[in-house]
Amino acid sequence: MTAMPPAAALAPSDLLARLKEIVGGGHVLTGDASTRRYRSGFRYGGGDVLAVVRPGSLTQLWHTLKACHAAGTVILCQAANTGLTGGSTPMEGGYDRPVVLINMLRLKQLDLLQRGEQVLAQPGVTLEQLERRLKPLGREPHSVIGSSCIGASVTGGICNNSGGSLIRRGPAFTQFSLFACIDEDGQLRLVNHLGIALGDNPEQILANLDSGRFARDDLPAEPGRMASDREYSQHVRDIDSSEPARYNADPRRLYEASGSAGKIAVFALRLDTFAADTDTRVFYIGTNQPRDLADLRRHMLARFASLPVAAEYMHRSAYDLSRTYGKDLFVYIRKLGTARVPLAFALKSRFDAFAERCGLGRNLADRLLQRLANGMPEHLPARMNAFRDRYAHHLLLKVSDAGIEETRAYLQTFIAERPEAGFFECNEEEAGAAFLNRFAVGNATNRYRAVHADTVEDVVALDIALPRNALDWFEILPPELAAQVEQPMYCGHFFCHVMHQEYLVKKGVDCAQFKERVLALLDARGAKYPAEHNVGHIYRAGPVLEGFYRSLDPTNTFNPGIGQTSTRHRWRAVCCDEHREPPGR
């Protein structure tokens, strides 16, 4: 018979009372309606929780973890909940213990280190917040708005080894962190690997961080340890390698918090910042021949003196999807900025919860917003729309400083030799519109599914990393699979060869079977997946990644089930024979 978790020292009712003592009653949420926006992710989630807890200090977070540990609950740590694979939301069913979800967004303290060359970020700090703080210093974070999910947290990016569009910076990575874990003996421990003297015990360490009592500059050197992937700009240039440039399970970048996917509780991260480019240009390239873009990529990576800032690919299908179903988000951000996007999504979630209780369906807000969007005037520049009509494949190439003239001269020669290609140099309005249209596409896919629920079964969303030496990079589905798709979406971070391939699958099609067949095609091409959104609950973690998770969390208390691994205490299988749970991809 499968062994059960040890008896808890704290009953559920007593745990709720204790949590309210720690964080205040208003920050302990129970019930389906009040917890919905935390339990349901961007595309997945919706399982039950005993409570959602929102600590307001690192000390409160520590005491929350201690209480949950004493009660023997599953612990899910969540920041902005912008993930696309459901990795920070509870699954429906399958846990052998009650679930407490700890949302970190109130933990927003952000400190500059080394005179702004590094930062110390608590888990609720968002990319938008960090960008604003660094801008007066002429510096940027690893990812900027438009190179990652709008509203995303800094910690979420590190825990998922997320990538983003900025070619020179690689995956989000650091070896400097402060985190809590549960060891093999079942003891909750706080580990300080920040390289900053903070004290000798958890209470002292966290009190000093909460109050800002620590050295910020002239910190001791830590040879051999990195606060970003400083090697990536050379790594990505190896265009003849049969290995991808970056993907979530890459062993070279699994280190404590980096790639941890919620298997530890991260309290703070120490990260490098980067000098902002002062002079940039965006070149908009179109072609009807995928090989044109492959040749351009290889030439620039191998021969250019300086790497481009970003090289974002969009297929015409993605352009159309975002142009129509991402219009209201595009206009909202243009008028109000990115800072208010999380509030908009929160209000939408509350409205949908109310509508669902009233029997009006799950997606009323999306249907109403799309009606509003359909009545808006055209929002994309004329030259971009003309390229959409002329070319199937689009590349948004952003370069800086000395690379501007080098790129301009190269493109003039490159395009002259290719009759089915063209380019133009964007003005400021076109440059902003091009990238915003590119990064509205994820929300547009969700919107299409919501509006066309009568013809769409679901979204099958894949993010893949192709080998660096791949030439036939653009996917052409076999006719029998293409016939099962109502609307495909192809875009990606092209120079890194990280592609986002999403399929709005026709009503009645078996999505799991469809996905298996597409993944088999990707396996044959030498692709790795997922590339940057992590395994969540829709991909199976491979042996190396599962081994990393087990080393971080021997009792399987934090985020059990991630990567379709065991949800049971101490990784026990569902079946009685102690073997791993039946596989799924």
Side-chain angles (χ1 to χ4, degrees):
M1 186 173 181
T2 303
M4 298 297 291
L10 201 61
S13 59
D14 295 330
L15 172 61
L16 291 176
R18 174 64 183 134
L19 293 174
K20 291 176 182 178
E21 290 176 5
I22 296 168
V23 303
H27 296 293
V28 178
L29 310 178
T30 58
D32 288 347
S34 60
T35 61
R36 183 183 188 275
R37 60 173 290 212
Y38 303 96
R39 294 183 295 107
S40 297
F42 202 60
R43 288 180 179 154
Y44 302 99
D48 295 328
V49 296
L50 177 66
V52 172
V53 186
R54 302 185 300 186
S57 69
L58 297 181
T59 300
Q60 287 184 3
L61 173 57
W62 175 247
H63 287 295
T64 296
L65 290 172
K66 288 174 65 176
C68 292
H69 181 47
T73 71
V74 163
I75 300 171
L76 298 187
C77 295
Q78 178 191 90
N81 193 19
T82 58
L84 299 179
T85 57
S88 62
T89 52
M91 299 186 300
E92 295 188 39
Y95 299 106
D96 57 348
R97 296 149 286 172
V99 177
V100 173
L101 193 158
I102 304 175
N103 182 273
M104 310 283 203
L105 279 186
R106 295 178 65 211
L107 304 175
K108 288 187 173 295
Q109 186 168 312
L110 174 63
D111 295 285
L112 300 178
L113 306 177
Q114 307 288 57
R115 289 163 285 276
E117 293 185 1
Q118 291 186 332
V119 294
L120 186 67
Q122 290 192 8
V125 172
T126 63
L127 288 174
E128 190 273 337
Q129 177 187 353
L130 182 52
E131 273 194 78
R132 280 190 288 108
R133 184 69 178 277
L134 292 176
K135 189 172 183 178
L137 305 179
R139 301 192 69 81
E140 293 178 340
H142 162 270
S143 295
V144 298
I145 298 304
S147 69
S148 190
C149 288
I150 294 169
S153 70
V154 174
T155 296
I158 292 291
C159 292
N160 289 318
N161 273 355
S162 296
S165 71
L166 303 183
I167 299 167
R168 306 167 191 165
R169 300 178 192 176
F173 178 74
T174 185
Q175 294 174 310
F176 294 90
S177 61
L178 175 71
F179 61 91
C181 62
I182 298 174
D183 64 21
E184 184 67 45
D185 295 328
Q187 300 300 309
L188 179 67
R189 297 193 300 117
L190 187 70
V191 179
N192 179 14
H193 286 168
L194 289 172
I196 301 172
L198 292 166
D200 299 321
N201 60 70
E203 301 290 345
Q204 189 177 39
I205 290 170
L206 299 176
N208 284 333
L209 279 176
D210 281 331
S211 61
R213 295 191 300 267
F214 56 89
R216 289 168 173 76
D217 298 320
D218 302 316
L219 298 171
E222 299 270 353
R225 296 177 68 197
M226 297 187 292
S228 64
D229 189 349
R230 299 173 190 165
E231 302 165 348
Y232 186 77
S233 61
Q234 290 305 312
H235 180 74
V236 73
R237 284 183 180 269
D238 186 359
I239 58 174
D240 294 319
S241 173
S242 60
E243 286 292 311
R246 57 177 172 89
Y247 59 100
N248 289 132
D250 187 348
R252 64 189 284 274
R253 290 299 174 254
L254 297 176
Y255 189 92
E256 296 180 343
S258 296
S260 59
K263 297 304 291 181
I264 54 178
V266 177
F267 281 66
L269 296 170
R270 180 176 164 186
L271 304 160
D272 285 336
T273 68
F274 303 85
D277 295 303
T278 56
D279 188 13
T280 63
R281 297 288 190 281
V282 173
F283 294 89
Y284 201 105
I285 302 160
T287 182
N288 289 315
Q289 297 297 329
R291 183 58 186 262
D292 288 347
L293 297 186
D295 291 343
L296 181 148
R297 170 186 171 272
R298 289 178 63 84
H299 178 93
M300 293 185 72
L301 285 176
R303 301 186 186 181
F304 267 40
S306 58
L307 285 174
V309 176
E312 288 301 299
Y313 169 75
M314 285 189 87
H315 186 262
R316 179 187 283 149
S317 60
Y319 187 101
D320 290 346
L321 197 68
S322 190
R323 181 184 183 183
T324 302
Y325 296 93
K327 180 189 289 189
D328 53 311
L329 179 61
F330 180 106
V331 173
Y332 181 90
I333 293 173
R334 270 293 175 92
K335 292 186 177 297
L336 299 178
T338 56
R340 298 187 185 182
V341 171
L343 174 61
F345 280 122
L347 293 174
K348 177 178 175 292
S349 178
R350 291 172 188 169
F351 179 86
D352 279 336
F354 173 78
E356 192 173 352
R357 289 198 306 273
C358 295
L360 299 174
R362 295 175 59 88
N363 301 307
L364 181 60
D366 277 307
R367 298 198 300 272
L368 293 175
L369 286 169
Q370 191 56 41
R371 284 190 183 183
L372 176 66
N374 290 341
M376 293 177 178
E378 177 59 58
H379 61 297
L380 296 181
R383 285 204 292 183
M384 285 172 52
N385 288 335
F387 262 50
R388 178 264 168 223
D389 295 338
R390 195 177 309 160
Y391 303 115
H393 304 280
H394 298 217
L395 185 67
L396 289 56
L397 188 61
K398 184 176 184 179
V399 297
S400 65
D401 302 323
I404 296 173
E405 187 52 44
E406 186 178 20
T407 302
R408 185 182 290 128
Y410 171 66
L411 285 178
Q412 288 170 351
T413 302
F414 179 84
I415 296 299
E417 298 171 349
R418 288 162 175 80
E420 292 194 65
F423 85 98
F424 64 87
E425 189 169 338
C426 295
N427 59 35
E428 186 175 351
E429 179 190 358
E430 290 167 333
F435 277 91
L436 187 49
N437 189 54
R438 158 66 181 90
F439 290 101
V441 76
N443 190 64
T445 306
N446 286 347
R447 172 68 59 76
Y448 188 101
R449 175 181 60 177
V451 172
H452 299 282
D454 55 335
T455 60
V456 172
E457 185 68 29
D458 206 348
V459 178
V460 173
L462 305 177
D463 60 297
I464 67 166
L466 296 173
R468 279 168 280 175
N469 64 357
L471 296 176
D472 296 326
W473 59 271
F474 183 68
E475 176 184 78
I476 299 177
L477 287 175
E480 65 273 17
L481 287 180
Q484 299 178 32
V485 179
E486 176 164 316
Q487 178 74 37
M489 191 287 293
Y490 294 104
C491 63
H493 314 305
F494 190 63
F495 277 30
C496 299
H497 257 190
V498 168
M499 306 302 294
H500 297 276
Q501 302 182 173
E502 303 190 358
Y503 314 88
L504 288 145
V505 178
K506 290 179 179 179
K507 200 73 172 178
V509 171
D510 185 328
C511 291
Q513 187 179 79
F514 174 86
K515 179 181 173 184
E516 287 295 317
R517 294 186 64 186
V518 173
L519 291 179
L521 295 174
L522 292 170
D523 290 339
R525 296 169 65 194
K528 301 284 189 182
Y529 48 83
E532 61 183 13
H533 292 310
N534 220 316
V535 288
H537 293 305
I538 70 169
Y539 294 98
R540 178 173 178 173
V544 171
L545 189 59
E546 182 175 343
F548 177 62
Y549 292 159
R550 286 175 177 263
S551 69
L552 293 176
D553 185 20
T555 65
N556 204 21
T557 295
F558 292 98
N559 206 9
I562 190 74
Q564 300 180 1
T565 58
S566 172
T567 60
R568 304 305 174 97
H569 183 252
R570 288 193 177 272
W571 301 88
R572 293 187 174 94
V574 173
C575 305
C576 302
D577 61 5
E578 295 296 315
H579 290 136
R580 180 176 169 156
E581 294 178 277
R585 279 180 120 146

